[in-house]
Amino acid sequence: MDFASPDRLRGDPAEAAMTSVKIVVAGGFGVGKTTFVGSVSEITPLTTEAVMTAASDGVDDLSHVPDKTTTTVAMDFGRVTLDAGLILYLFGTPGQHRFWFMWDDLIQGAIGAVVLVDTRRLADSFPAVDYFETAGLPFIVGINGFHGSFPHNAGDVREALSVNPGVPIIQCDARRRASTKNALISLVQHAMATQLSMR
């Protein structure tokens, strides 16, 4: 997407002068995508949470999220305004494998993605990392600190995931607005730098 030719918002004249961009929040099952979108969104987020069914038995690992009873079946949607007149529209992807066919539609028009990872289940992150590398969409890796704990540093996670050195890896707490906002700022900066490097 060309930042010099942004989509313009309609309606409110103040918003009409602002630049709007689309960002995807992705990752494995139960990694905190819905929480991430909800913690930073200025509007009540749209969620498509449904009660987990028997289709999850033996497929989804609930060992680290035993209280999880619902899952995203389509997407989460939120909005946040950053400095300099920039509005981000956030689209959270479904984490369960059987819903991944929707990812191709969700990334259309996006400038980049935040890939959330849970270091207790790093293997669940490989498909998302591979997906965005193959799609050629700029992304950052956000280490979600469950219970505020970060037992592994960014270097260890980069090595474990075999992520390109140019991909930012940051620590974030999906429950905290300031933390998720910083992650989004990092992504926007990375997406802009990636676009400039291609010119």
Side-chain angles (χ1 to χ4, degrees):
M1 179 174 187
D2 187 350
F3 286 99
S5 305
D7 292 331
R8 297 296 179 178
L9 296 174
R10 302 183 187 281
D12 185 339
E15 289 188 352
M18 302 181 84
T19 299
S20 60
V21 296
K22 178 180 179 180
I23 285 177
V24 174
V25 181
F29 169 76
V31 78
K33 299 177 294 296
T34 299
T35 301
F36 183 103
V37 172
S39 73
V40 76
S41 180
E42 300 164 342
I43 61 173
T44 301
L46 166 68
T47 62
T48 56
E49 293 279 291
V51 175
M52 292 173 60
T53 65
S56 294
D57 292 346
V59 177
D60 300 315
D61 180 6
L62 292 171
S63 61
H64 293 288
V65 283
D67 297 328
K68 187 172 178 62
T69 58
T70 62
T71 187
T72 299
V73 295
M75 67 172 185
D76 300 311
F77 173 77
R79 186 187 83 170
V80 60
T81 303
L82 296 184
D83 295 335
L86 179 63
I87 294 179
L88 307 183
Y89 290 109
L90 311 178
F91 291 79
T93 66
Q96 290 180 299
H97 186 269
R98 65 184 184 276
F99 298 123
W100 283 5
F101 67 89
M102 288 183 264
W103 285 31
D104 289 343
D105 290 330
L106 288 176
I107 70 166
Q108 292 300 313
I111 63 160
V114 175
V115 176
L116 285 181
V117 303
D118 179 352
T119 56
R120 301 169 300 179
R121 300 175 290 140
L122 267 183
D124 293 352
S125 307
F126 290 128
V129 169
D130 290 344
Y131 179 86
F132 292 110
E133 286 179 341
T134 301
L137 189 69
F139 69 95
I140 67 168
V141 172
I143 304 170
N144 192 9
F146 284 82
H147 309 295
S149 174
F150 297 95
H152 303 283
N153 62 38
D156 293 339
V157 172
R158 183 182 303 282
E159 183 177 353
L161 292 177
S162 299
V163 175
N164 184 300
V167 174
I169 297 182
I170 62 168
Q171 294 180 337
C172 71
D173 186 335
R175 303 167 301 173
R176 310 294 181 202
R177 177 179 171 81
S179 184
T180 53
K181 192 169 183 178
N182 285 337
L184 294 171
I185 290 170
S186 295
L187 173 61
V188 170
Q189 291 172 338
H190 176 57
M192 292 176 69
T194 300
Q195 184 184 49
L196 289 173
S197 70
M198 297 172 61
R199 290 183 175 175

